[in-house]
Amino acid sequence: MSEVDGAGATAMDVAREFVDAVVWGEHIKMWALLGLEARTTVLKVASDRGMDEALVARLRDGTASDAERDEFLADLINGLRADLAGNDLDALEYEEDPEPMEPGRARVVILVPVAIGFGGNLPVGSVELATEEAAWRIQRLVPQVSK
């Protein structure tokens, strides 16, 4: 399924497609699924870490060269993959968080099956989404941090 345009996709569909794009290195699809809030945050972090402001502006405006965009998105995907590292990414399960959020927002929990004999699933993170232009878009990937 390719629901990058958002036509009829549920929050869970978009969350799954986003994580799959990260896992498979589909950087253009991953970027297309990010909402304005997420893109703004990512570019602010890049700027704070020393990225040239002119490049940040080109990335924000969609005028960066293919090479600039691809290099930036490859680094972003590697960072997102690190957030999911240590999990069997081929066995991920998804469920919508039952806690109600404000209208137009959703949270999808990413789970990994627990070893045979223990049963159930263990949360490894969540994806927060919001509707933009009548389609679900990713706002943030929140890895589960062990304490």
Side-chain angles (χ1 to χ4, degrees), residues 96-101 107:
E96 204 151 343
D97 190 332
E99 302 252 340
M101 296 187 78
R107 181 180 300 114

Side-chain angles (χ1 to χ4, degrees), residues 24-74:
W24 292 103
E26 298 177 40
H27 61 284
I28 303 296
K29 180 187 281 188
M30 180 270 312
W31 188 248
L33 291 169
L34 289 178
L36 179 60
E37 181 182 323
R39 288 181 181 200
T40 301
T41 299
V42 165
L43 291 171
K44 180 175 182 344
V45 169
S47 175
D48 291 349
R49 292 185 177 170
M51 181 179 277
D52 177 68
E53 289 297 325
L55 176 55
V56 170
R58 288 192 302 276
L59 289 164
R60 181 187 58 242
D61 298 338
T63 59
S65 70
D66 289 348
E68 289 172 326
R69 181 202 62 215
D70 291 348
E71 181 179 353
F72 171 73
L73 294 180

Side-chain angles (χ1 to χ4, degrees), residues 16 19-20 23-24 81-94 110-116 121-125:
R16 182 185 319 269
V19 173
D20 286 349
V23 169
W24 292 103
R81 281 182 181 158
D83 287 342
L84 298 172
N87 297 295
D88 182 358
L89 301 179
D90 291 326
L92 296 177
E93 302 281 334
Y94 300 84
I110 306 166
L111 305 148
V112 67
V114 178
I116 296 174
N121 295 319
L122 185 65
V124 297

